Amino acid sequence: MISYISLLYHVFAGDRKNEQAGRRVGNLVEFMQSIQMMQEEYELLSSGLLDWMQNKKVVFMDRNFDGTVEDIENKIDEMTSYKIGEKIEKGKEKEELEALLNTINMKLRSNDRSAYVPPEELSVANVNNSWNDLAHEELERDEWLKDQLARQTQLGNLKKKFGNLADAMEDWIHEKEEYLATVDPILSLEDAEMQLRRLDAFADELSASEEKMQRIAKLADDVMELDDFQKVNVKARVDNLMSSWQGLDGKKNTKREDLLEKLDLERRKEALRLKFADLAKDYERWAKEVVSELDGRDFGTTLSAVEAFQEKLDKSDTDINEASNAKRAQLKHVWQELQDLGVSDNRHTILTDQDIENLSNLVGEKQKDRRDDYEVELQRQREMEDKRKEFARLAEEFVNTHLPTRLARLTSELGSVESDPESLIDMINEEYAEGSPEQIKLKVLNDVANEMSGMGIVENRHTKHTMPSLQKEAAKFADALRDYLEDINDEKELKAEFDLLARTLNQWIEATQPTLRKEFDNTLDGVRALIKEWNVFKSRDSANHEIDLSNIQRLYEKISSLLIKNNRPPFIPPVDCTHLNSIFSDFLVAEKEAEDLIFAELARQEEIDTLLKGFNAQCKELENLLSSVETYLSTQERAESLNDARLNSSMFVVNNKKIDGNNHRLEQLLKLRETIIQNDYHTPQYVILRSDAISQRWVALEDLKQKKGQNLKETLEEEKFKEQNFLKYSDITRDFTQWVRESIQNIEDYYFGNSLEAMISYEREMGFRTQLDLSKCEEFLQDIKSVQEVLESHGVLVSEPNKYTDFSPATMQNFVDQLNSALEKRQMAYEVALSQERDYDARRVDWAEKAKEFIEFIENNKQQLGGIKSLTELQHLHNNAKGKKFLAELKADLHRLNHDGIFGNKHTPYTLSECENRNKKWEEYVQDRIESFEEDMDLEKRETALKVELERIERLDELQSEFDASRYQMEIWIEQVEDFHSDPINVHSVLEIEQLRQKYDSIASQFPSYEQVHDRLLTISAETGTEITSLTAKFAKCRENSTNMYNTLRLEEARQKKIEGWKKDFAVEGEDFLKKLSESKHLASLATSPDLQENVNKLSSIVGSIESGKESLEQLRSINTALDDEMVWDTGATFNFREIESAYNQTLESIKSQLKQAEKELLLKDNTGLTPEQLAEYRDIFGHFDKTRSNFLEKMGFFGALSAIGEEVDEATAGAIFSRVDTDKDGKISFKEFTQYIVELNADRDSEDQLVESFKLVAGEKEFVTENDLRTVIEGSKVDYLIKNMAVVGEAEGHALYDYKAWVAQQYRS
């Protein structure tokens, strides 16, 4: 068991050894794999970096470019981009390459391996050499780019200036060639003079352009000097320009000769234009005066005056035509000369030959118009005369024919053929037709009067009649007809009355006459009743009808008298007076016969009665009869009228007949008395006395009869006398009233004449008529008074109307009053009419004065026209409301006059028509003058416009010359300024930029004056229309460039000041830096103490101090880079950055080398076991992570250093290591503590022998190892690495045999 356990231990121990050996081999493989990978990475990075540097050298050595500033600038930009980008990155790669190599060797040395030495072409030294070579090429390229940029910038500016000036000159020459080649149309003298002035201006401009050509030639020489490639093109262009420019002079001279010839021609044309203008103006003035004269239309106001104007008219036309023809002949000659010279315009006048022809035609038209107006006026005067005659004829016919004829027709003619008044009245009314024929004729007359008024006729010597007088004649006609109709109506009424009375009488006779013979009843009572009835009949019916017969006779006489008065047919009544008288006589005979029969019958009956009744009865009857008769005969009857008297006479006759008819009764009574006495009446005395008494009384009746008869006769005569006087009174009053009516009618005919003179003359006639009327009235009143006195002398008062007349004295007085009133009214009417006529006449005078004032106003205005010099004055005169007001007042006044029936005006020869015609002619005259003024003004305006236009053209020409000169001057100035603007700002100091600023300020100070020049050019451009856009754009661009340059100069000034600061800083800091390096060298030279540690410490401090100056070096580098970026290679110092950097590196390397040597000596003295190479390498690693250059490592620096020497540990382990290595516990690691740790770390590394032993164990103590041996203890990938890298030295049992010893030896010795 113990043996087994021992064997098992040995087996396990052998396995453990194999496992340890495999792990050791695996660790080596893993280490070598990482080293190999790092080496490969180094070689890849190194070769890549070297290739990049080689490529860059080729690029930097390339001196080809396209010859433009832009390409150089692009290349500079590329160089700048390279420096701040690619170069820095590649610098970092180079540092990483060096760090990678240090790491590889650090790991190798840490594992007791030999350092890795890259291939020579990939060595750090070769890389550094290539880097330095690249830096040299970079510097060379910078110098080349700088030179090329300056050269190309200068060349570019020269080309640009040359191109701009050449382009401008070519354009200018082309423009001027076109100008010189252009045959400008010369339309006026001013055009020719203007073209010559333009040519002179061009000559000045051409002279001024010589300097510009010289500048172009100089620029071309400069360009050709700097650019061989463009020399031919530039030379050809300059030669062409010079040739073209020189050719302008000959073309200028050719153009001048042409313009001078045209100037002479234009001067000749101008002289003809002036001559034509003067002649035309004179003709126009003459034509206007003639037209103004022809506008006058004072041909006369009467037909004879107008007819007499013919001779004056003919002479005027002849004079005008002769003057016009003479003036036109001159004008035509000058016009033809102008046409022969091709002149189609004349600025001195707007008048042309056609205008002269038109003026001539106008004169002819005005002559024709005047002659036409004359013919019209002549015709108008004739028509007015005809119209006067027509009115006179119609008026005379109306008054002297129509009205009398119509009155005769309606009265005498109709009245003579028509006996029936009512039919006649109807016929008259029907034919009178309410005066329609008269109204028609009056309308015709009124129309003619209106036509006369419209024609301006105010008087008519052919008739005294006017419309008012005609209307009064028509009214008189109507009044006469009315009176006639009243007479016819009276006739009708009288005839009706006559007819009624005659028919009634006739009918009564016819009805009564057969009843006269009475049938007796053979009784006394019957007879007596008949007697009584008969007496009534005789005293009433028969007496009244006898009066009716008398009245019928009087009516017949009255009707006959009225018919005779009115020329009416004789009155043939149905029952005429003769017949009535005849039948009434027959009636009276028949009445007498009937009466005789009645009384015979009465006698017979009374005799019988007497016999029957006796004496007493008879006595009684006789007594009663006597009493009745005595009473009747004793009674004085009142007779109020002739009828009463006639009735009383008839009653007297009846009573006489009654008495006479009773005489037989007295005889019978006496006989009866005798009979009674004879018959022996017992009281004969009584019979006798009674009968005697009766007889006596009967005898006494005769005296009473005589007396009463005489009295009745006297009364009848009296009543007849009264009746006659009543009739006379009636006739006189009727005649008087008729006369009064007629007189009043005549008096009320208030036609006092149609003029003031006629009315004044009428006053005498009216006074005479009034006297006649008053005398006639007085005669009537005397006659009436005489009749009235006669009647009153017969006890008859006529104060009241009676059956004979309605006219009482009061009525008569009323008629007298009416007559007086009519006379007074007529007097008043006359006075009113006279006053009115005087007012009318005053109004006529006023109208005449106004018409005269209006005509004078027109004439005065015409006279004023001669002194009017402006259209405004003329329009003011024309628009003066006074004339319009005059005419309006004349129209209104005449309208009122006509409305008031006032026609005609002897106070003025002017009618409204004449005034209107004068006003119309005045308006036309003024309008012609206005048109003439307007034409003159238009001509003046056109002449002024032409003058203004010429002045404008001259001004434009002057402005154009000024414009061309100023523009050319300004363009030259702009070109010079733009040359300055386009020059690169190539300054290298603040002083130079300030000098450039002063030059800029000098140029900028000129801008205000050229602003004024430009403003002036803009003003001229606005007037001339000359294009200034391009100049404005150039000037604006120039201003913009000036502003940009100002800003650029400010920036450049700031840049130069900044560069100046950088230079100063570089010089100061560089000098200070070099001084510190010198001091460090001096201090290092003093580190020679026997105390090696002190020397190491001093040198370490110096190295730290130098390395701490790295920031200063980087600051200097930054300044140098900034200067390089600004392409400033001259810092103004006695050193450059490369010298500073080189001094820094050399000083640092020298002192580091001195430090390394001191440390080596110290390490040898301390026996650390590190080689000098290892010590130097660790010093580099320590220094790399000593960021503060304090010769100590902080924690983070120490952790980095651990990673650099191949110790990949976590943070906690690294912290523990830091605490362990920091032996003096000051919180930082010194270089000594760092090297001590590395020594300790190297003590744990496998040695070569240990690794060989490990391989041998794996190989089973064989000198060679197989793949299977390796795979038993080592993982596959590592076995693959070993098989790949170990040499095969043989084969056993189909397995390759690998020489592990050689491979391990190679790892430690290679």
Side-chain angles (χ1 to χ4, degrees):
M1 179 62 74
I2 292 173
S3 297
Y4 176 76
I5 293 170
S6 177
L7 180 60
L8 184 60
Y9 173 79
H10 282 292
V11 171
F12 280 122
D15 289 340
R16 232 179 356 259
K17 287 180 180 179
N18 284 338
E19 183 179 350
Q20 287 176 351
R23 186 166 57 249
R24 185 172 285 161
V25 170
N27 287 337
L28 177 61
V29 170
E30 183 177 357
F31 173 73
M32 293 311 295
Q33 281 180 329
S34 67
I35 291 298
Q36 185 177 358
M37 289 176 64
M38 292 173 70
Q39 289 173 348
E40 289 174 355
E41 182 182 357
Y42 171 83
E43 290 174 1
L44 180 62
L45 287 173
S46 178
S47 62
L49 187 59
L50 287 168
D51 289 342
W52 173 80
M53 287 188 287
Q54 185 60 38
N55 291 334
K56 278 297 175 184
K57 286 179 186 178
V58 173
V59 172
F60 289 163
M61 292 171 67
D62 180 15
R63 297 295 185 265
N64 295 319
F65 71 105
D66 63 3
T68 64
V69 175
E70 290 77 13
D71 194 25
I72 290 296
E73 289 175 344
N74 289 335
K75 291 183 182 303
I76 291 172
D77 290 341
E78 291 172 0
M79 198 67 180
T80 302
S81 298
Y82 156 75
K83 289 178 180 181
I84 64 175
E86 190 177 8
K87 180 181 179 181
I88 293 174
E89 293 298 323
K90 293 302 179 181
K92 290 179 179 179
E93 287 184 18
K94 177 175 169 294
E95 291 178 358
E96 290 173 359
L97 183 68
E98 292 174 354
L100 181 59
L101 182 60
N102 288 335
T103 300
I104 292 171
N105 287 328
M106 180 66 71
K107 286 189 175 185
L108 288 172
R109 290 188 183 96
S110 297
N111 288 280
D112 202 20
R113 304 290 190 274
S114 58
Y116 168 66
V117 179
E120 184 178 356
E121 68 275 8
L122 299 178
S123 67
V124 171
N126 190 37
V127 170
N128 286 333
N129 290 334
S130 294
W131 186 267
N132 292 332
D133 292 342
L134 180 61
H136 176 72
E137 291 301 328
E138 178 185 332
L139 181 61
E140 290 293 323
R141 187 170 182 81
D142 281 341
E143 291 293 335
W144 177 78
L145 287 173
K146 172 186 173 184
D147 293 340
Q148 287 302 320
L149 178 61
R151 181 174 178 275
Q152 290 302 323
T153 300
Q154 182 184 5
L155 181 60
N157 288 329
L158 289 172
K159 282 182 177 179
K160 183 177 180 182
K161 288 181 180 180
F162 172 76
N164 290 338
L165 286 174
D167 289 343
M169 181 56 76
E170 284 172 347
D171 292 342
W172 181 81
I173 290 173
H174 178 68
E175 177 188 343
K176 299 310 175 186
E177 284 178 338
E178 284 185 349
Y179 159 67
L180 293 171
T182 301
V183 179
D184 297 305
I186 304 299
L187 303 177
S188 66
L189 178 61
E190 287 72 19
D191 283 351
E193 291 171 343
M194 182 183 69
Q195 292 298 334
L196 278 170
R197 286 195 297 272
R198 286 189 63 188
L199 190 62
D200 292 338
F202 164 72
D204 295 338
E205 193 174 343
L206 181 62
S207 298
S209 67
E210 183 176 1
E211 180 185 355
K212 192 172 182 179
M213 277 302 304
Q214 292 173 355
R215 286 179 60 206
I216 293 171
K218 177 66 172 61
L219 285 170
D221 292 340
D222 293 341
V223 171
M224 289 187 290
E225 184 179 349
L226 293 172
D227 190 354
D228 292 336
F229 298 104
Q230 297 294 328
K231 184 180 293 185
V232 175
N233 294 335
V234 171
K235 182 72 168 63
R237 189 174 187 188
V238 168
D239 291 343
N240 288 334
L241 269 174
M242 186 61 73
S243 175
S244 298
W245 178 77
Q246 290 172 346
L248 292 176
D249 191 60
K251 294 176 180 179
K252 175 198 70 176
N253 294 332
T254 301
K255 190 174 185 75
R256 182 177 295 279
E257 291 173 1
D258 178 61
L259 287 175
L260 287 172
E261 289 179 3
K262 290 179 177 177
L263 177 63
D264 290 339
L265 178 61
E266 288 303 322
R267 283 174 175 164
R268 184 182 171 198
K269 289 179 180 178
E270 190 68 9
L272 288 171
R273 285 190 185 98
L274 284 168
K275 185 175 181 181
F276 181 83
D278 291 339
L279 291 172
K281 189 169 186 180
D282 177 68
Y283 186 83
E284 182 187 34
R285 179 192 54 74
W286 172 83
K288 287 180 178 179
E289 289 176 356
V290 169
V291 167
S292 176
E293 178 186 341
L294 291 172
D295 283 334
R297 295 294 188 272
D298 189 11
F299 303 127
T301 57
T302 64
L303 178 60
S304 59
V306 173
E307 288 173 341
F309 191 79
Q310 177 72 50
E311 183 179 353
K312 185 189 294 185
L313 186 65
D314 293 339
K315 184 178 185 305
S316 174
D317 285 347
T318 301
D319 293 343
I320 289 170
N321 291 335
E322 288 176 356
S324 178
N325 291 336
K327 291 176 182 293
R328 285 180 60 204
Q330 278 185 296
L331 280 162
K332 281 187 174 294
H333 176 70
V334 177
W335 177 261
Q336 189 57 49
E337 286 189 79
L338 287 169
Q339 300 310 301
D340 293 342
L341 291 175
V343 177
S344 59
D345 67 300
N346 193 340
R347 66 192 174 115
H348 303 292
T349 180
I350 60 172
L351 300 173
T352 65
D353 183 59
Q354 184 59 49
D355 293 325
I356 299 302
E357 186 67 26
N358 292 340
L359 284 171
S360 175
N361 292 338
L362 176 63
V363 171
E365 288 170 4
K366 289 293 184 179
Q367 285 179 286
K368 183 178 180 303
D369 290 345
R370 183 175 70 167
R371 189 165 288 278
D372 291 344
D373 289 346
Y374 171 76
E375 294 297 332
V376 168
E377 180 62 19
L378 181 60
Q379 182 61 30
R380 189 177 79 89
Q381 289 293 341
R382 287 171 177 169
E383 289 175 356
M384 289 170 65
E385 191 69 10
D386 291 342
K387 191 59 67 177
R388 290 187 187 95
K389 290 178 179 179
E390 179 185 359
F391 182 83
R393 176 181 57 78
L394 290 174
E396 294 299 325
E397 185 272 333
F398 180 72
V399 174
N400 298 329
T401 302
H402 174 77
L403 292 180
T405 302
R406 276 271 286 171
L407 187 61
R409 165 66 181 164
L410 294 174
T411 57
S412 300
E413 187 175 338
L414 290 179
S416 64
V417 298
E418 177 57 53
S419 59
D420 181 38
E422 190 165 356
S423 298
L424 179 59
I425 291 172
D426 291 339
M427 289 173 64
I428 291 172
N429 285 331
E430 181 180 359
E431 191 163 334
Y432 176 63
E434 297 182 351
S436 176
E438 287 68 44
Q439 293 303 317
I440 291 172
K441 286 190 174 292
L442 284 173
K443 184 178 183 306
V444 171
L445 281 161
N446 191 60
D447 290 343
V448 175
N450 288 336
E451 289 177 19
M452 290 170 63
S453 179
M455 294 171 72
I457 300 172
V458 297
E459 52 82 25
N460 193 343
R461 61 191 178 85
H462 302 291
T463 182
K464 66 178 181 178
H465 296 296
T466 63
M467 282 307 300
S469 68
L470 291 173
Q471 288 167 346
K472 289 183 178 179
E473 290 294 334
K476 287 170 68 176
F477 162 77
D479 290 342
L481 185 61
R482 184 182 64 250
D483 292 343
Y484 181 76
L485 286 172
E486 288 178 358
D487 285 348
I488 299 302
N489 193 58
D490 289 344
E491 177 190 341
K492 180 183 77 170
E493 292 176 356
L494 291 172
K495 282 185 175 180
E497 183 182 358
F498 178 90
D499 184 60
L500 178 63
L501 291 174
R503 287 182 184 278
T504 301
L505 180 60
N506 187 56
Q507 291 172 359
W508 178 79
I509 291 171
E510 289 178 352
T512 303
Q513 189 168 348
T515 64
L516 291 175
R517 290 184 177 273
K518 306 294 184 181
E519 292 294 332
F520 304 120
D521 61 358
N522 203 25
T523 66
L524 181 60
D525 291 335
V527 172
R528 288 177 176 170
L530 284 174
I531 289 296
K532 187 177 181 180
E533 182 181 342
W534 181 262
N535 289 331
V536 171
F537 167 75
K538 283 286 287 182
S539 63
R540 291 186 180 176
D541 289 350
S542 180
N544 286 335
H545 284 91
E546 186 177 1
I547 293 170
D548 288 340
L549 179 62
S550 174
N551 288 336
I552 288 170
Q553 184 64 40
R554 185 175 58 80
L555 280 173
Y556 179 79
E557 292 173 357
K558 192 172 183 179
I559 290 170
S560 296
S561 174
L562 191 59
L563 291 175
I564 292 169
K565 171 189 172 185
N566 290 316
N567 195 28
R568 296 277 289 125
F571 180 48
I572 304 175
V575 181
D576 61 17
C577 292
T578 303
H579 173 69
L580 283 175
N581 288 325
S582 174
I583 63 173
F584 197 76
S585 296
D586 293 342
F587 175 79
L588 290 175
V589 171
E591 182 186 42
K592 181 71 171 69
E593 290 176 351
E595 185 180 25
D596 290 341
L597 288 174
I598 290 171
F599 279 102
E601 179 64 18
L602 178 60
R604 190 179 70 82
Q605 288 295 336
E606 285 178 346
E607 184 177 3
I608 293 171
D609 184 64
T610 301
L611 292 175
L612 293 175
K613 291 181 178 180
F615 173 79
N616 288 330
Q618 288 186 13
C619 287
K620 185 64 174 176
E621 287 178 1
L622 287 173
E623 287 174 350
N624 290 336
L625 175 63
L626 285 170
S627 295
S628 173
V629 172
E630 285 173 348
T631 300
Y632 165 70
L633 292 175
S634 299
T635 301
Q636 184 69 35
E637 289 89 351
R638 293 187 61 187
E640 300 294 334
S641 64
L642 179 61
N643 286 339
D644 289 345
R646 284 177 175 171
L647 183 59
N648 290 333
S649 296
S650 296
M651 290 296 295
F652 178 71
V653 171
V654 168
N655 283 310
N656 281 340
K657 289 181 177 181
K658 180 178 179 182
I659 292 170
D660 292 338
N662 286 297
N663 283 331
H664 68 283
R665 291 179 67 191
L666 180 58
E667 291 175 357
Q668 289 176 352
L669 179 62
L670 292 176
K671 287 179 178 182
L672 183 57
R673 184 188 72 176
E674 291 297 331
T675 300
I676 290 172
I677 292 174
Q678 289 176 0
N679 292 326
D680 193 19
Y681 184 56
H682 59 285
T683 52
Q685 188 64 35
Y686 167 73
V687 173
I688 293 170
L689 290 172
R690 192 172 182 182
S691 61
D692 288 340
I694 292 171
S695 295
Q696 291 175 358
R697 290 175 64 191
W698 195 272
V699 172
L701 285 177
E702 190 62 33
D703 292 334
L704 290 173
K705 261 174 49 177
Q706 293 267 332
K707 289 179 181 178
K708 190 171 184 70
Q710 184 62 35
N711 188 30
L712 286 174
K713 181 178 179 181
E714 290 177 357
T715 299
L716 180 59
E717 290 299 325
E718 180 71 17
E719 290 301 325
K720 283 183 178 180
F721 179 79
K722 289 180 181 179
E723 181 74 9
Q724 289 174 355
N725 281 280
F726 270 126
L727 289 173
K728 184 177 181 181
Y729 180 83
S730 174
D731 290 339
I732 292 172
T733 55
R734 179 176 58 79
D735 292 342
F736 175 68
T737 56
Q738 180 66 26
W739 174 82
V740 168
R741 288 192 187 98
E742 290 175 356
S743 296
I744 290 174
Q745 183 178 336
N746 291 329
I747 291 168
E748 288 177 348
D749 177 11
Y750 298 154
Y751 178 68
F752 308 118
N754 56 6
S755 67
L756 181 63
E757 291 75 10
M759 292 185 71
I760 292 172
S761 174
Y762 182 81
E763 185 175 18
R764 292 188 295 273
E765 180 183 348
M766 183 179 67
F768 177 71
R769 289 182 181 179
T770 301
Q771 285 300 119
L772 288 177
D773 289 337
L774 291 175
S775 298
K776 184 70 172 176
C777 178
E778 188 61 29
E779 289 178 4
F780 272 115
L781 290 176
Q782 288 297 328
D783 291 342
I784 291 170
K785 185 178 180 181
S786 297
V787 175
Q788 184 177 353
E789 289 175 349
V790 168
L791 289 172
E792 287 177 352
S793 66
H794 288 79
V796 177
L797 297 177
V798 292
S799 59
E800 296 298 334
N802 53 63
K803 67 175 181 176
Y804 302 103
T805 180
D806 294 330
F807 304 120
S808 65
T811 304
M812 292 303 100
Q813 187 59 45
N814 186 36
F815 274 99
V816 171
D817 293 341
Q818 288 181 22
L819 179 63
N820 289 328
S821 175
L823 290 171
E824 289 175 2
K825 286 180 180 178
R826 182 175 69 176
Q827 182 63 34
M828 290 172 64
Y830 171 77
E831 290 174 358
V832 169
L834 180 61
S835 174
Q836 186 180 56
E837 188 60 33
R838 281 175 175 158
D839 177 63
Y840 286 173
D841 201 58
R843 286 166 65 183
R844 287 188 185 96
V845 170
D846 181 61
W847 195 91
E849 289 296 325
K850 286 183 179 179
K852 180 182 178 183
E853 188 177 355
F854 177 77
I855 297 298
E856 289 175 352
F857 170 77
I858 296 294
E859 295 303 320
N860 289 338
N861 282 348
K862 282 186 178 181
Q863 292 177 5
Q864 289 181 35
L865 284 181
I868 288 177
K869 302 299 182 184
S870 70
L871 179 60
T872 303
E873 291 181 279
L874 181 60
Q875 288 175 334
H876 176 73
L877 180 64
H878 181 222
N879 295 331
N880 190 343
K882 186 175 180 182
K884 296 178 181 178
K885 184 179 178 183
F886 259 137
L887 192 58
E889 288 178 355
L890 285 172
K891 287 182 180 179
D893 289 348
L894 186 62
H895 176 74
R896 285 190 290 271
L897 287 170
N898 292 339
H899 180 268
D900 293 339
I902 304 172
F903 297 91
N905 195 337
K906 67 173 184 177
H907 302 289
T908 178
Y910 305 117
T911 64
L912 179 62
S913 176
E914 175 68 17
C915 291
E916 288 176 331
N917 187 50
R918 289 287 187 97
N919 187 65
K920 179 182 177 184
K921 296 303 180 184
W922 157 248
E923 292 286 344
E924 291 173 354
Y925 178 70
V926 171
Q927 190 58 41
D928 288 343
R929 287 299 302 273
I930 288 175
E931 290 174 1
S932 175
F933 259 111
E934 289 174 344
E935 288 173 3
D936 290 342
M937 287 177 66
D938 184 55
L939 176 59
E940 185 178 343
K941 284 180 181 177
R942 290 180 61 179
E943 289 176 348
T944 303
L946 283 170
K947 182 178 179 182
V948 169
E949 180 63 15
L950 288 174
E951 291 174 353
R952 188 184 72 83
I953 291 171
E954 289 176 0
R955 174 173 168 73
L956 289 179
D957 186 45
E958 292 172 359
L959 290 174
Q960 189 64 46
S961 299
E962 180 187 350
F963 182 89
D964 292 341
S966 297
R967 180 179 65 180
Y968 187 71
Q969 174 192 357
M970 190 168 181
E971 285 178 342
I972 297 257
W973 177 81
I974 289 173
E975 287 175 5
Q976 294 171 350
V977 173
E978 290 293 60
D979 283 347
F980 171 71
H981 290 162
S982 62
D983 285 340
I985 301 176
N986 190 15
V987 294
H988 304 92
S989 67
V990 174
L991 178 61
E992 289 181 1
I993 193 65
E994 286 177 350
Q995 290 174 346
L996 191 60
R997 270 290 299 271
Q998 288 175 359
K999 185 176 180 181
Y1000 169 81
D1001 291 341
S1002 175
I1003 292 173
S1005 66
Q1006 299 174 26
F1007 268 94
S1009 62
Y1010 279 97
E1011 285 279 1
Q1012 293 177 356
V1013 172
H1014 181 253
D1015 290 342
R1016 176 61 179 163
L1017 289 173
L1018 284 174
T1019 302
I1020 295 173
S1021 174
E1023 288 193 50
T1024 62
T1026 307
E1027 188 275 328
I1028 196 176
T1029 308
S1030 60
L1031 180 63
T1032 299
K1034 286 180 183 178
F1035 189 48
K1037 186 65 177 175
C1038 186
R1039 282 196 299 261
E1040 181 183 353
N1041 291 339
S1042 178
T1043 302
N1044 293 338
M1045 188 169 191
Y1046 172 76
N1047 295 330
T1048 303
L1049 287 173
R1050 287 183 62 193
L1051 293 173
E1052 184 61 26
E1053 185 177 16
R1055 175 177 171 272
Q1056 288 300 327
K1057 287 181 179 179
K1058 181 173 66 175
I1059 290 172
E1060 195 76 17
W1062 287 343
K1063 285 181 177 182
K1064 184 178 180 181
D1065 291 344
F1066 184 82
V1068 173
E1069 292 178 14
E1071 186 177 352
D1072 184 60
F1073 190 78
L1074 290 173
K1075 182 178 179 182
K1076 287 181 179 179
L1077 289 176
S1078 179
E1079 291 175 352
S1080 296
K1081 287 179 181 180
H1082 176 67
L1083 290 174
S1085 67
L1086 298 177
T1088 56
S1089 173
D1091 187 350
L1092 294 177
Q1093 184 62 50
E1094 182 182 350
N1095 290 336
V1096 169
N1097 290 339
K1098 284 183 179 180
L1099 290 172
S1100 294
S1101 176
I1102 292 169
V1103 168
S1105 176
I1106 292 172
E1107 288 182 341
S1108 67
K1110 183 74 171 178
E1111 290 184 2
S1112 298
L1113 181 64
E1114 291 303 321
Q1115 177 66 24
L1116 288 169
R1117 185 192 303 279
S1118 174
I1119 294 172
N1120 186 67
T1121 301
L1123 290 171
D1124 284 345
D1125 290 343
E1126 296 293 343
M1127 296 183 183
V1128 178
W1129 290 281
D1130 181 11
T1131 63
T1134 57
F1135 47 82
N1136 58 35
F1137 178 74
R1138 295 186 183 280
E1139 292 172 345
I1140 294 173
E1141 188 176 30
S1142 177
Y1144 172 80
N1145 290 332
Q1146 289 175 5
T1147 301
L1148 182 61
E1149 290 300 323
S1150 174
I1151 296 175
K1152 276 186 175 182
S1153 177
Q1154 188 180 351
L1155 174 61
K1156 286 179 181 179
Q1157 185 61 36
E1159 286 176 341
K1160 180 179 179 183
E1161 292 175 359
L1162 181 60
L1163 288 172
L1164 289 174
K1165 181 180 177 182
D1166 292 341
N1167 194 21
T1168 60
L1170 294 175
T1171 66
E1173 292 78 8
Q1174 288 177 324
L1175 189 62
E1177 183 179 354
Y1178 292 142
R1179 164 56 71 184
D1180 288 339
I1181 291 172
F1182 185 88
H1184 180 74
F1185 289 101
D1186 180 13
K1187 300 299 183 183
T1188 61
R1189 300 295 183 260
S1190 63
N1191 282 323
F1192 291 98
L1193 293 178
E1194 303 293 337
K1195 269 190 179 183
M1196 295 308 294
F1198 178 71
F1199 293 164
L1202 287 179
S1203 178
I1205 63 175
E1207 289 298 313
E1208 300 293 340
V1209 294
D1210 58 23
E1211 186 175 351
T1213 302
I1217 293 171
F1218 181 86
S1219 298
R1220 182 166 56 83
V1221 173
D1222 183 17
T1223 57
D1224 58 4
K1225 303 305 179 183
D1226 59 358
K1228 52 189 178 181
I1229 305 300
S1230 66
F1231 182 68
K1232 182 177 180 181
E1233 289 171 333
F1234 181 65
T1235 57
Q1236 286 175 349
Y1237 170 71
I1238 291 174
V1239 170
E1240 290 175 5
L1241 188 63
N1242 287 338
D1244 292 335
R1245 305 294 184 189
D1246 292 330
S1247 65
E1248 181 179 354
D1249 293 339
Q1250 287 174 327
L1251 283 171
V1252 170
E1253 286 299 323
S1254 295
F1255 265 107
K1256 191 172 182 180
L1257 283 173
V1258 173
E1261 298 298 328
K1262 298 190 293 285
E1263 294 298 327
F1264 302 99
V1265 70
T1266 65
E1267 183 177 353
N1268 288 334
D1269 294 336
L1270 293 171
R1271 291 193 185 280
T1272 58
V1273 293
I1274 303 172
E1275 61 184 45
S1277 61
K1278 294 178 180 178
V1279 173
D1280 293 338
Y1281 172 79
L1282 288 171
I1283 291 171
K1284 180 179 178 183
N1285 288 284
M1286 287 193 295
V1288 179
V1289 295
E1291 183 176 350
E1293 298 178 359
H1295 296 286
L1297 300 177
Y1298 296 97
D1299 188 356
Y1300 61 83
K1301 291 182 179 179
W1303 182 78
V1304 170
Q1306 181 184 1
Q1307 303 309 314
Y1308 279 90
R1309 293 182 180 86
S1310 59

